Amino acid sequence: MANASLRSFLLHHHHSFLGSSGGGSHEGSPSVVLKLTANTSTSTSISFKLFSNTTSSSSVTTASSAPTPVSPAAAASPPLPSLELLGSQLAEKDYFQADETTRALLIELAGESARRRGYVFFSEVQFISTEDLQAIDELWKEHSNGRFGYSVQRRLWEKSRRDFTRFFIRVGWMKKLDTEVEQFNYRAFPDEFMWELNDDTPEGHLPLTNALRGTQLLGNILTHPAFEESQEEEAMEENETPATTGQSKDDSKGRERPKFMRDFKPDYSF
């Protein structure tokens, strides 16, 4: 099979060279002879020489080899999460990317299992140091005039009596529906969330915490020792209630959850 292919290659080029003079040899035209030399040790190298009736000769060598595979261009890898990157994104008011970096930072800080898995279990929040969580929180507060951050969310969560539905409504993670009866629904990620800081952006709206697997992850973040000190200060302010208000424990009826909230089924999708 290989010899037949070589003969075909030789015959084709032999006729090509001869045919270049108009279909045959003319008087005075140098005759052309094509001599094939094949390397027996390999079938991928072919050499041939063109001889004429002159003293000169030309040599051409062709080599066929398997094409070198061209590796596709490596996809641009996202930058590694770091406090420096987070601070830069927040300084540029790129809150969407800052939110993504915050999520990546939590995965990185939670340990090897979280990194392999790609998300954090609520039980792994304890492995994130107080210093790291406080550093992330301080960056968010610094670049939002104190309106974003975990400690801000912790304060609002406590004011919502640790009721996640109340809290979600308060920070704008749920939206009010245009219905006759007061109803709320969860915002769709990412389009329906607010990635700009303006007068209409609810306090504590960012950073987001995925609650698709429940609220335990968010609860463990908000109750992390990193934010206990700020909560103690809030508790002291709450306890400084004037005695002349005339309120009693029986007045708590007005603080009960509305019926639509009691019937609401948690199905967090962000």
Side-chain angles (χ1 to χ4, degrees):
M1 175 67 77
N3 290 335
S5 298
L6 293 177
R7 292 192 195 98
S8 175
F9 176 87
L10 172 62
L11 183 61
H12 171 73
H13 287 279
H14 180 64
H15 285 294
S16 297
F17 287 118
L18 291 178
S20 63
S21 60
S25 60
H26 297 272
E27 288 187 29
S29 301
S31 61
V32 179
V33 178
L34 185 63
K35 182 178 181 181
L36 173 69
T37 303
N39 189 341
T40 58
S41 63
T42 176
S43 61
T44 61
S45 180
I46 305 170
S47 298
F48 57 88
K49 290 186 177 181
L50 302 180
F51 293 93
S52 67
N53 57 1
T54 63
T55 58
S56 62
S57 66
S58 60
S59 176
V60 180
T61 302
T62 65
S64 64
S65 59
T68 303
V70 179
S71 58
S77 301
L80 294 176
S82 66
L83 289 174
E84 291 75 14
L85 176 62
L86 177 60
S88 174
Q89 291 168 338
L90 287 171
E92 296 172 358
K93 306 301 181 186
D94 188 353
Y95 292 117
F96 179 80
Q97 288 300 329
D99 185 71
E100 293 291 320
T101 298
T102 299
R103 196 161 18 256
L105 271 173
L106 293 185
I107 294 173
E108 186 69 24
L109 295 170
E112 181 61 30
S113 296
R115 289 192 288 272
R116 288 198 305 267
R117 190 187 313 115
Y119 57 88
V120 181
F121 277 152
F122 71 92
S123 58
E124 295 169 327
V125 175
Q126 61 182 316
F127 304 135
I128 304 176
S129 72
T130 295
E131 293 76 13
D132 287 330
L133 264 184
Q134 287 178 339
I136 293 172
D137 182 58
E138 287 300 322
L139 286 173
W140 275 99
K141 291 193 297 184
E142 177 185 351
H143 296 287
S144 66
N145 297 323
R147 295 178 60 187
F148 293 157
Y150 291 123
S151 61
V152 177
Q153 293 175 352
R154 167 68 184 262
R155 171 171 54 82
L156 298 174
W157 183 53
E158 294 291 351
K159 286 187 175 182
S160 302
R161 288 171 171 70
R162 298 196 174 192
D163 184 301
F164 279 106
T165 302
R166 287 182 182 271
F167 171 72
F168 288 170
I169 294 174
R170 191 163 194 162
V171 299
W173 292 359
M174 296 175 68
K175 62 181 181 179
K176 187 175 181 179
L177 301 180
D178 186 16
T179 56
E180 294 182 1
V181 180
E182 188 177 36
Q183 296 183 37
F184 289 80
N185 200 4
Y186 304 102
R187 293 186 183 274
F189 180 86
D191 295 340
E192 293 187 348
F193 285 87
M194 306 174 194
W195 305 108
E196 295 180 357
L197 181 62
N198 51 49
D199 294 338
D200 297 330
T201 307
E203 186 182 18
H205 191 68
L206 297 173
L208 303 180
T209 299
N210 192 313
L212 185 61
R213 288 171 288 275
T215 57
Q216 287 178 299
L217 173 61
L218 178 58
N220 281 20
I221 292 175
L222 298 182
T223 56
H224 193 279
F227 312 121
E228 288 298 331
E229 184 177 347
S230 61
Q231 177 52 34
E232 290 176 2
E233 296 175 358
E234 288 292 330
M236 292 179 62
E237 293 179 4
E238 291 288 337
N239 291 332
E240 293 177 359
T241 304
T244 58
T245 58
Q247 292 181 342
S248 64
K249 293 182 180 179
D250 295 334
D251 294 334
S252 61
K253 291 182 179 180
R255 298 177 181 176
E256 292 181 358
R257 301 178 73 194
K259 185 179 185 302
F260 83 89
M261 293 177 64
R262 294 197 299 270
D263 297 338
F264 204 91
K265 297 180 180 179
D267 182 21
Y268 316 118
S269 58
F270 54 87

